[in-house]
């Protein structure tokens, strides 16, 4: 079909003009025919005859082009159109719809558009902030309601969340902190060895892993792992109108979806942190033993003496806070999903990025706080 | 124009299985050039599956499917591309691309298959929008901002973007109000007449069947129960067919 062409010819003697079209006026040939139609020089004093009779096949794209041709003739003096039945019927269809399609809005000027965009973005940001505050309030309200009436607590859903976001994350978190323990001990031994203070590698290991690395690593891995899951799960339920269905059945998504995730993660992240601490210290200890030739007994003695009573707790106190940040942001972003697959992707990404960002901000705040109170 | 033997679609001895479940077992169906065929059947008789098998989304276990006289199993990828260009499909919920505006959705098939200047593409998509009864303003919206009925219309506009010879419609009037549905039927008739479309409709809507279809095919018991003109089919002696055409809901139309 692509081999057959459409054509447009212009002829005629003085005072008359003959425009004839034929062949295939279909979408495949529109780009070939368009220049011919645009380049048509119309003699407005001549009697014009348009002949569509040789057109074998015309589709709406071709008819649109023919319409363009005819509309250029409209304001010239006299013209007549010859066509066959096929062309007539499709031209009629297209011209009818063309009339209603022709209305076009004027485009606003570029500056106004930019200002409009900034304004919209600002309002949106404020709106989002307000929504987030409302969301946190809503969670708190439901949390208090659950504490007051423990019967409403969704125990099995919470246990499932602990399994999914906590238990299933044990292997990856153990491995990562084991490796980081190795890295810290190895680098510590090298650097401190230059000062002849190799033994302090153990102090370095204890403080770094217990105070910062254990919790930070676990939180970041969980933000990537569970934060994204929460947003995607809740988001796709939102797209499917499952949340609306829940409301109508009388289940509150806050109670059924959000609280189990928040409580579940708040329980599992401290446990994961303990595990991360353990494997980090094991990894570091292994290097200290193999590279520095310090026996496990000596390591234990040095390790215990390096700890202040708060070292361990400083790390662990942060865990529930970070867990709440991850879970609340994950669920919130999931709830914000609207309509499209693109929005689901955007909000899932946001859930991860925002929670990692906030975790680090809060870690800094904790450091300052602990520094000020002197532990 | 479509094929030499007079059939746009020729399905022979089709066997389709999804998992362990046999949907079609030896189904045969012919669709003539230029006709509007309505495929009906109870829920779960595999109407949509048949449509998806014909357009190549589901691979049959056995049997042959010819579109425009060419066996779709034996097409080179270039030929298959060409066949697809000549078919338009409207999915049940429109299946619009959520990250693109309505205009971009309609222009996608055009961009993919033909080279056209941006302005012509815009004009064509506005024309298609107006053909399916939507305002030009709708063109700048995203599918998530539209109602279900509007999404369906946009889906049809996208299916019509390339002026296909063969149009597949999956429940085109479901979810439309009666007036909108009637307008849809009229549009379909007009397009079919002017563009010589062959239309394959999966539907439950008796109004659509009465108004637009030249032929009705009833699926059931994993096969084609019967096909023919409306009179022939409604006279067919099968409990479901009798219920369907002579039940409570059909009375309004018969009287």
């Amino acid at each position: 079909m692509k081999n057959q062409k459409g054509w447009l010819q212009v002829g005629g003697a003085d005072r008359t003009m003959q425009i004839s079209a034929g062949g295939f006026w279909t979408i495949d040939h529109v780009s070939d025919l368009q220049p011919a139609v645009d380049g048509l020089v119309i003699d407005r004093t001549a009697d014009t005859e348009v002949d569509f009779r040789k057109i074998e096949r015309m589709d709406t794209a071709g008819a649109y082009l023919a319409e363009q041709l005819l509309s250029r003739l409209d304001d010239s003096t006299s013209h007549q159109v010859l066509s066959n039945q096929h062309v007539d019927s499709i031209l009629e269809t297209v011209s009818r719809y063309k009339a209603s399609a022709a209305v076009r809005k004027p485009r606003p000027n570029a500056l106004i558009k930019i200002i409009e965009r900034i304004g919209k973005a600002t309002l949106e940001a404020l709106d989002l902030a307000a929504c987030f505050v409302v969301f946190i309030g809503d969670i708190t309200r439901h949390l208090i309601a659950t504490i007051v009436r423990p019967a409403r607590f969704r125990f099995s859903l919470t246990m499932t969340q602990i399994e999914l976001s906590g238990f299933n994350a044990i292997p990856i978190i153990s491995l990562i902190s084991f490796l980081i323990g190795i890295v810290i001990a190895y680098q510590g031994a090298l650097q401190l060895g230059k000062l002849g203070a190799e033994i302090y590698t153990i102090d370095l290991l204890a403080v770094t892993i217990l105070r910062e690395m254990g919790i930070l690593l676990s939180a970041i891995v969980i933000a990537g792992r569970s934060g994204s899951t929460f947003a995607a799960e809740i988001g796709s339920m939102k797209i499917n109108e499952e949340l609306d269905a829940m409301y109508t059945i009388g289940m509150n998504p806050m109670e059924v979806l959000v609280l189990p995730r928040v409580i579940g993660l708040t329980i599992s992240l401290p446990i994961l942190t303990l595990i991360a601490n353990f494997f980090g210290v094991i990894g570091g200890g292994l290097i200290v033993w193999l590279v520095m030739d310090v026996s496990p007994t000596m390591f234990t003695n040095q390790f215990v003496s390096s700890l202040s009573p708060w070292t361990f707790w400083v790390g662990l106190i942060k865990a529930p806070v970070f867990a709440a940040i991850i879970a609340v942001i994950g669920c919130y972003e999931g709830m914000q999903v609207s309509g499209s697959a693109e929005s689901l992707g955007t909000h899932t990404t946001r859930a991860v990025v925002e929670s990692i960002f906030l975790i680090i901000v809060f870690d800094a705040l904790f450091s300052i706080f602990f520094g000020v109170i002197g532990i | 124009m479509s094929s030499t033997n007079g059939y746009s679609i020729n399905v022979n001895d089709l066997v389709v299985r999804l998992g362990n479940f046999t949907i079609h077992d030896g189904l045969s169906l012919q669709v003539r050039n230029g006709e509007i065929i309505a495929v009906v059947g109870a829920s779960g008789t595999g109407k949509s599956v048949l449509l998806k098998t014909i357009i190549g989304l589901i691979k049959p276990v056995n049997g042959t499917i010819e579109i425009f006289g060419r066996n779709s199993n034996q097409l080179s990828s270039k030929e298959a591309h060409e066949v697809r260009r000549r078919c338009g499909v409207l999915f049940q919920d429109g299946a619009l691309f959520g990250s693109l505006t309505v205009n971009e959705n309609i222009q996608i098939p055009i961009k993919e298959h033909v080279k056209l200047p941006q302005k012509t593409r815009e004009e064509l998509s506005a024309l298609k929008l107006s053909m399916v009864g939507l305002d030009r303003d709708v063109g700048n919206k995203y599918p998530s901002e539209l109602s279900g009925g509007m999404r369906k219309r946009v889906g049809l506009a996208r299916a019509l973007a390339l002026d296909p010879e063969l149009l597949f419609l999956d429940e085109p009037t479901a979810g439309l109000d009666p007036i909108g549905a009637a307008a849809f039927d009229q549009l379909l008739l007009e397009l079919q007449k002017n563009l010589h479309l062959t239309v394959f409709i999966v539907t439950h809507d008796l109004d659509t069947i009465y108004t637009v279809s030249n032929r009705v095919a009833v699926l059931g018991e994993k096969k084609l129960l019967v096909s023919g003109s409306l009179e022939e089919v409604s006279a067919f002696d099968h409990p479901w067919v009798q219920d369907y055409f002579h039940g409570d809901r059909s009375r309004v139309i018969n009287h």
Side-chain angles (χ1 to χ4, degrees):
Chain A
M1 227 174 99
K2 281 195 172 164
N3 311 330
Q4 292 145 318
K5 292 270 183 216
W7 48 265
L8 183 74
Q9 279 173 355
V10 185
D14 79 315
R15 316 302 304 162
T16 62
M17 185 175 174
Q18 175 105 27
I19 302 172
S20 49
F24 282 69
W25 278 54
T26 56
I27 195 163
D28 290 315
H29 308 301
V30 163
S31 54
D32 299 336
L33 289 165
Q34 183 92 54
V37 172
D38 289 343
L40 205 60
V41 182
I42 291 166
D43 179 4
R44 294 191 184 283
T45 58
D47 253 344
T48 310
E49 185 187 84
V50 185
D51 187 358
F52 285 143
R53 283 176 303 185
K54 295 214 178 64
I55 290 180
E56 288 172 58
R57 181 170 166 76
M58 180 181 258
D59 64 7
T60 50
Y64 159 74
L65 205 60
E67 269 293 313
Q68 272 191 343
L69 196 158
L70 292 178
S71 72
R72 293 191 49 196
L73 284 172
D74 263 352
D75 36 4
S76 84
T77 48
S78 64
H79 71 273
Q80 53 173 328
V81 181
L82 302 168
S83 71
N84 56 35
Q85 209 193 343
H86 164 62
V87 171
D88 244 0
S89 64
I90 179 124
L91 268 181
E92 201 267 327
T93 306
V94 167
S95 63
R96 185 145 42 87
Y97 288 113
K98 187 79 178 44
S100 52
V103 200
R104 188 166 224 177
K105 259 195 187 168
R107 275 196 181 174
N109 112 4
L111 185 69
I112 293 178
K113 254 171 138 180
I114 293 172
I115 295 173
E116 186 187 329
R117 238 159 111 189
I118 294 173
K120 266 188 186 160
T122 314
L123 286 180
E124 235 164 62
L126 287 175
D127 203 38
L128 268 182
C131 281
F132 190 62
V133 173
V134 170
F135 187 76
I136 291 175
D138 221 13
I139 291 183
T140 317
R141 192 166 62 87
H142 280 94
L143 196 63
I144 293 169
T146 310
I147 293 169
V148 176
R149 289 176 51 201
R152 289 180 62 168
F153 180 61
R154 310 272 170 163
F155 184 74
S156 64
L157 285 178
T158 311
M159 288 310 284
T160 313
Q161 285 307 324
I162 292 178
E163 187 193 339
L164 291 177
S165 59
F167 186 77
N168 291 352
I170 290 177
I172 182 73
I173 285 192
S174 316
L175 181 63
I176 288 180
S177 46
F178 181 78
L179 295 175
I180 289 291
I182 289 179
V183 170
I184 291 172
Y186 205 75
Q187 291 302 323
L190 278 179
Q191 301 303 322
L192 293 171
K194 291 179 192 164
L195 304 171
E198 257 180 328
I199 196 69
Y200 289 109
T201 304
I202 297 167
D203 298 56
L204 176 74
L205 188 70
V207 173
T208 322
I209 293 280
L210 296 190
R211 273 187 88 119
E212 292 293 340
M213 276 312 189
I215 170 63
L216 216 49
L217 274 177
S218 319
I220 288 173
V221 169
I222 290 301
R225 207 177 162 276
S226 303
S228 58
T229 309
F230 293 173
E233 272 175 350
I234 296 178
S236 57
M237 290 178 83
K238 180 112 189 277
I239 291 178
N240 256 335
E241 296 185 320
E242 286 173 50
L243 294 191
D244 298 341
M246 277 187 173
Y247 268 119
T248 54
I249 293 168
M251 295 155 79
N252 191 322
M254 274 294 173
E255 203 177 291
V256 183
L257 295 176
V258 178
L259 270 192
R261 284 175 170 74
V262 174
I263 295 174
L265 203 60
T266 314
I267 293 169
S268 39
L269 191 57
I271 300 172
L272 285 174
T273 306
L274 280 179
I275 294 169
N277 287 348
F278 176 76
F279 279 98
V281 171
I282 293 286
L286 202 67
I287 287 299
V288 170
W289 186 21
L290 294 177
V291 175
M292 288 162 49
D293 214 12
V294 175
S295 75
T297 339
M298 246 178 95
F299 176 83
T300 316
N301 288 337
Q302 180 69 25
F303 189 81
V304 169
S305 74
S306 74
L307 294 178
S308 81
W310 275 95
T311 312
F312 172 75
W313 291 109
V314 161
L316 213 57
I317 283 171
K318 296 189 259 190
V321 178
F322 290 179
I325 290 174
I326 296 167
V328 170
I329 289 183
C331 294
Y332 174 73
E333 288 297 345
M335 295 274 193
Q336 294 301 309
V337 170
S338 64
S340 65
E342 195 188 27
S343 146
L344 183 62
T346 316
H347 286 285
T348 309
T349 310
R350 265 203 215 163
V352 177
V353 174
E354 280 168 7
S355 47
I356 290 180
F357 172 73
L358 276 185
I359 284 167
I360 293 177
V361 168
F362 270 76
D363 197 46
L365 291 179
F366 269 117
S367 293
I368 295 169
F369 172 73
F370 289 131
V372 168
I373 65 170
I375 50 178
Chain B
M1 192 169 313
S2 299
S3 77
T4 43
N5 61 6
Y7 291 116
S8 284
I9 305 173
N10 190 348
V11 177
N12 249 316
D13 251 343
L14 190 72
V15 181
V16 175
R17 265 185 221 121
L18 294 182
N20 286 326
F21 194 72
T22 306
I23 312 281
H24 299 134
D25 194 1
L27 184 148
S28 299
L29 174 71
Q30 279 80 37
V31 181
R32 297 187 195 105
N33 289 339
E35 76 174 349
I36 300 188
I37 187 167
V39 177
V40 300
S43 297
T45 48
K47 303 181 294 294
S48 294
V49 171
L50 177 63
L51 190 153
K52 285 183 178 168
T53 314
I54 293 175
I55 59 181
L57 292 176
I58 297 174
K59 271 237 172 304
V61 177
N62 214 337
T64 57
I65 297 165
E66 285 177 13
I67 301 180
F68 305 128
R70 285 187 283 185
N71 189 328
S72 51
N73 267 338
Q74 296 160 359
L75 293 180
S76 69
S77 63
K78 197 173 161 237
E79 286 170 321
H81 195 69
E82 181 60 25
V83 166
R84 258 177 236 131
R85 183 218 171 293
R86 293 163 68 187
C87 296
V89 185
L90 167 63
F91 290 96
Q92 251 180 54
D93 292 313
L96 302 175
F97 302 115
S99 54
L100 304 178
T101 64
V102 166
N103 267 334
E104 290 166 335
N105 262 291
I106 299 173
Q107 287 173 33
I108 276 228
I110 305 180
K111 269 190 193 166
E112 186 64 30
H113 288 280
V114 251
K115 253 185 113 170
L116 278 186
Q118 166 86 16
K119 188 180 154 281
T120 315
R121 274 207 312 264
E122 297 264 330
E123 290 296 326
L124 279 179
S125 85
L127 178 67
K128 300 287 142 123
L129 261 188
S130 127
M131 282 170 75
V132 297
L134 292 174
D135 255 11
R136 194 182 191 134
D137 292 349
V138 174
N140 296 323
K141 291 191 173 164
Y142 284 91
S144 54
E145 299 170 297
L146 304 179
S147 74
M150 287 165 99
R151 273 206 290 276
K152 200 157 267 188
R153 282 156 186 271
V154 175
L156 181 68
R158 187 178 68 184
L160 289 173
L162 286 171
D163 285 304
E165 294 161 48
L166 181 53
L167 189 60
F168 292 91
L169 307 174
D170 198 353
E171 307 256 4
T173 50
L176 296 187
D177 62 284
I179 297 166
F184 195 97
D185 291 344
Q186 284 311 315
L187 169 73
L188 205 58
L189 274 178
E190 188 182 317
L191 290 174
Q192 196 269 339
K193 195 178 106 235
N194 293 339
L195 301 173
H196 311 291
L197 292 177
T198 307
V199 188
F200 181 102
I201 314 180
V202 170
T203 189
H204 283 298
D205 190 336
L206 279 165
D207 286 303
T208 303
I209 297 171
Y210 283 94
T211 325
V212 303
S213 70
N214 310 121
R215 214 151 60 88
V216 180
V218 185
L219 299 191
E221 296 162 11
K222 300 178 182 177
K223 286 185 170 48
L224 179 73
L225 283 180
V226 60
S227 76
S229 69
L230 196 60
E231 292 78 42
E232 288 164 18
V233 170
S234 57
F236 185 71
D237 188 22
H238 183 278
W240 189 85
V241 177
Q242 285 306 312
D243 255 13
Y244 187 74
F245 288 101
H246 304 290
D248 286 342
R249 306 208 49 172
S250 64
R251 209 163 31 198
V252 187
I253 295 140
N254 285 339
H255 288 191

